[in-house]
Amino acid sequence: MVEHRPLRDFVAYAILTFGIFIVAFPVYLALIASTHDAATVVNGNMPLSPGTHTLENYYRAVFVGGSRTSREPVGHMLINSFVSAIGIAVGKIFISILSAFAVVYFRFPFRKTAFWIIFITLMLPVEVRIYPTYKVVADLRMLDTYAGLILPLIASATGTLLFRQFFMTIPEELLEASKIDGAGPFRFFKDTLLPLSVTTIAALFVIQFIYGWNQYLWPLLITTQDSMQTIVTGIKKMLTTTDELAEWQLAMATAILAMLPPVAVVVFMQRLFVRGLVETEK
Amino acid sequence: MEKSATFNNRLLPYLLLAPQLVITFVFFYWPASQAVLQSFKREDAFGLTSEFVGLENYQALFAQPEYYKAIWTTVVFSTLVALLSLSIALMFATQADKNLKAAPAFKTFLIWPYAVAPAIAGVLWIFMFHPSLGTLARPLRVLGFDWNPLLNGNHAMTLVVMAAVWKQISYNFLFFLAGLQSIPRSVLEASAIDGAGPLRRFWTIVFPLLSPTTFFLLVVNVVYVFFDTFGIIDAVTGGGPAGATTTMVYKVYADGRLGGDLGGSAAQSVVLMVIVIALTAVQFRYVERKVQY
């Protein structure tokens, strides 16, 4: 453009740097808090530089748990979070790639109906039907189980739509060629469709992993035992102690640990994540 | 677009659809229909018997001053979060869209809050602004400002809005940046040659071309504020003080869990369902038509 470049670039850099500052500052504070002892954190004058209790805090958070709260150690919650996030991602990919395959590559009665039955689920997030869903899970005796954490959250159409969209862009000649080669539906799926879908699968995995990891209300409701809670719900309990001061340094260490896996996934899989996100939403 | 080449198989497509349909019926349609049924019924305190009471739960709901308060809180909260996060994200996106050498790095640094759980974002913000230990609460008090989000409803609302905006900027930023990058450079260059300055170019060319993205984001953001912010509110304020941050979704949770009023809670769920369906319908109408404003 015609504007003077150096000045324009300087303004852009200044604004973006400010943006990064806003985005990073809360996390920086949490990181700092997780390196100090309890007294330094709660006295309201916490320094902005790291302290010397890092290893102790993280060790206690991960393996011991807060002494005043007798909660589960974070290590266990991390495992629960990993299992449910991976379960949600894999489960969703599994059911939706199969149903998209059926809807796109077969002609059968009720095909449109089946598609709409799935499609409508986009409209109601689990939060609005929370108690009835809770009751179903309780009746099926799935409270405090991984199945209860995972299955209700994969009952939505986002994955199916994404795969359907992608399958529509695959040239028909590929199917015709495999048919001429004598391939049935299974061979076509395994040898042609799956290899072509690898990036779509990876993108959906990234999005769903983050979605599953970050769940809050659902795990809060259906886990009654501390041993089943995920890290995102567990952290709240560290802060709501009835009689004594919350151990903020442990809570902040937990916050850092709870952020690490999904943030790492977004940063390292950025390209896939952006692609999956933009395609699922539109 | 329909495929003309397909497989012929009678049973297989149903088998392929089965896992998804079973899960959808058990965990979506069954509970959703139960929510609707429940909203017309009243259960006794032990949940042993229930009778059909027609619209009584709805009448009771709309006779509650607290419900109107929750609706108002939801309106204020979603408007503030949507407007602030959209405008801040647009500002960052327009800067990142300039041909800067470091643009990809900035992008990475700005998008990661997307991956932070809302509840964790809430915990970070309450830590910063906690009245007795918050690093940023201290300067406020030194300046003579009696900051206390645990007691003052407006302060509590400010805090949850800030946390929700912080969390949502990255998402809006991504979509705005994608929208900006799809605007042809030649149009902008032509108007620059015609003497239009940066601001004028933004308001007469860029902003109108971005309007489908903006509209899409507006709807998505409202749905985000409705549901995903539950974790923020629960972690930061628990709906308090005195219901100042109790949104409609939070009230469904609080009334059902703490109050044990399943009929009333179900009626609230149904009201929410209607709102979300209406929003989604509006979104599809416009997105499907691909309106250029």
Side-chain angles (χ1 to χ4, degrees):
Chain A
M1 294 313 116
V2 287
E3 284 77 31
H4 193 48
R5 258 199 114 90
L7 177 68
R8 194 199 65 159
D9 286 2
F10 175 76
V11 171
Y13 277 117
I15 293 178
L16 288 172
T17 309
F18 177 67
I20 290 176
F21 175 76
I22 294 179
V23 159
F25 187 69
V27 178
Y28 177 75
L29 270 190
L31 197 58
I32 293 299
S34 72
T35 65
H36 287 285
D37 63 356
T40 317
V41 176
V42 294
N43 78 3
N45 267 316
M46 190 182 81
L48 288 178
S49 53
T52 53
H53 295 261
T54 318
L55 285 179
E56 180 199 333
N57 286 341
Y58 282 89
Y59 178 82
R60 270 189 61 207
V62 173
F63 297 106
V64 185
S67 60
R68 295 170 185 154
T69 49
S70 73
R71 296 289 174 197
E72 282 296 306
V74 173
H76 198 165
M77 298 186 212
L78 279 170
I79 294 171
N80 291 338
S81 286
F82 267 110
V83 172
S84 53
I86 289 171
I88 287 168
V90 171
K92 189 133 176 173
I93 289 166
F94 177 74
I95 63 168
S96 48
I97 198 167
L98 291 185
S99 52
F101 180 50
V103 174
V104 175
Y105 285 100
F106 291 87
R107 289 291 164 275
F108 56 95
F110 306 116
R111 190 176 67 99
K112 284 248 156 66
T113 321
F115 179 72
W116 277 100
I117 287 173
I118 296 169
F119 185 77
I120 285 173
T121 58
L122 277 187
M123 293 199 180
L124 295 179
V126 72
E127 281 83 356
V128 286
R129 48 197 164 83
I130 193 90
Y131 286 107
T133 313
Y134 172 83
K135 193 159 180 303
V136 168
V137 170
D139 289 346
L140 294 173
R141 299 186 182 279
M142 288 206 275
L143 297 180
D144 291 316
T145 63
Y146 288 123
L149 273 171
I150 293 167
L151 292 178
L153 294 174
I154 63 178
S156 94
T158 44
T160 315
L161 287 183
L162 186 66
F163 282 120
R164 180 175 170 272
Q165 251 173 0
F166 173 68
F167 291 167
M168 298 291 227
T169 65
I170 295 177
E172 298 199 2
E173 289 74 16
L174 278 178
L175 175 59
E176 280 154 11
S178 351
K179 276 182 144 180
I180 292 168
D181 286 350
F186 285 109
R187 273 237 341 250
F188 174 70
F189 184 77
K190 188 169 76 63
D191 293 343
T192 312
L193 221 44
L194 267 187
L196 287 173
S197 310
V198 169
T199 39
T200 309
I201 291 174
L204 190 59
F205 183 88
V206 172
I207 306 273
Q208 293 298 322
F209 178 85
I210 294 166
Y211 167 81
W213 184 277
N214 289 348
Q215 282 301 312
Y216 183 77
L217 177 54
W218 183 246
L220 186 68
L221 268 185
I222 76 139
T223 56
T224 54
Q225 299 164 8
D226 286 342
S227 65
M228 278 305 292
Q229 79 195 346
T230 61
I231 189 165
V232 173
T233 51
I235 193 169
K236 164 83 188 305
K237 294 187 181 162
M238 299 183 139
L239 299 179
T240 41
T241 50
T242 42
D243 45 354
E244 283 175 282
L245 278 173
E247 293 186 281
W248 284 89
Q249 83 285 9
L250 295 191
M252 290 301 126
T254 309
I256 298 292
L257 291 172
M259 274 185 272
L260 269 180
V263 168
V265 165
V266 162
V267 171
F268 291 116
M269 313 275 276
Q270 206 185 132
R271 201 177 49 82
L272 284 171
F273 151 74
V274 172
R275 202 188 118 171
L277 189 70
V278 175
E279 282 178 5
T280 349
E281 298 286 350
K282 287 230 166 161
Chain B
M1 193 180 80
E2 296 275 308
K3 298 253 177 206
S4 54
T6 52
F7 289 108
N8 285 316
N9 195 312
R10 291 211 170 165
L11 190 60
L12 188 58
Y14 297 104
L15 287 178
L16 293 171
L17 278 166
Q20 174 139 27
L21 288 181
V22 168
I23 286 176
T24 307
F25 274 108
V26 175
F27 296 106
F28 184 89
Y29 284 98
W30 178 245
S33 59
Q34 286 299 306
V36 176
L37 266 181
Q38 190 110 59
S39 73
F40 296 112
K41 283 180 174 174
R42 184 172 50 210
E43 283 191 15
D44 68 68
F46 304 101
L48 297 175
T49 60
S50 61
E51 57 170 328
F52 188 79
V53 292
L55 292 175
E56 217 173 83
N57 286 321
Y58 291 92
Q59 283 165 349
L61 183 61
F62 284 104
Q64 266 183 53
E66 293 87 15
Y67 196 56
Y68 290 98
K69 194 179 170 198
I71 296 178
W72 177 240
T73 305
T74 310
V75 171
V76 172
F77 183 54
S78 15
T79 314
L80 284 175
V81 174
L83 286 184
L84 285 171
S85 64
L86 283 172
S87 42
I88 296 172
L90 181 57
M91 181 179 75
F92 292 148
T94 46
Q95 303 312 316
D97 186 41
K98 293 176 179 166
N99 282 321
L100 304 177
K101 264 200 207 116
F106 277 116
K107 193 176 153 196
T108 306
F109 279 114
L110 282 170
I111 64 172
W112 60 262
Y114 171 88
V116 177
I120 302 292
V123 169
L124 297 181
W125 281 76
I126 184 71
F127 179 66
M128 276 194 293
F129 283 102
H130 190 281
S132 65
L133 52 94
T135 304
L136 295 184
R138 219 181 328 136
L140 286 175
R141 257 199 317 280
V142 171
L143 292 170
F145 189 73
D146 189 19
W147 169 259
N148 195 337
L150 304 183
L151 297 175
N152 181 316
N154 288 334
H155 296 178
M157 178 58 96
T158 311
L159 190 51
V160 287
V161 167
M162 287 194 294
V165 169
W166 180 81
K167 168 86 190 77
Q168 189 63 2
I169 288 175
S170 53
Y171 181 91
N172 295 342
F173 171 78
L174 265 180
F175 278 84
F176 273 135
L177 192 58
L180 285 169
Q181 287 176 343
S182 69
I183 294 175
R185 298 279 133 173
S186 51
V187 179
L188 293 172
E189 276 154 20
S191 75
I193 292 167
D194 284 349
L199 270 182
R200 176 118 189 248
R201 284 203 303 271
F202 180 79
W203 288 114
T204 56
I205 299 173
V206 175
F207 195 71
L209 284 176
L210 268 186
S211 61
T213 309
T214 313
F215 183 78
F216 163 79
L217 282 178
L218 193 62
V219 176
V220 172
N221 274 266
V222 170
V223 175
Y224 156 81
V225 188
F226 266 56
F227 301 107
D228 290 351
T229 54
F230 178 89
I232 296 180
I233 293 176
D234 195 48
V236 175
T237 65
T245 51
T246 299
T247 56
M248 292 165 81
V249 171
Y250 201 83
K251 197 165 154 57
V252 172
Y253 166 78
D255 286 7
R257 161 156 267 196
L258 312 169
D261 173 14
L262 287 180
S265 172
Q268 294 184 39
S269 293
V270 173
V271 173
L272 272 176
M273 284 187 202
V274 172
I275 296 176
V276 182
I277 290 173
L279 275 173
T280 316
V282 168
Q283 183 193 340
F284 273 106
R285 223 178 119 97
Y286 283 93
V287 172
E288 285 293 285
R289 280 215 225 123
K290 292 202 167 58
V291 176
Q292 287 287 333
Y293 298 88

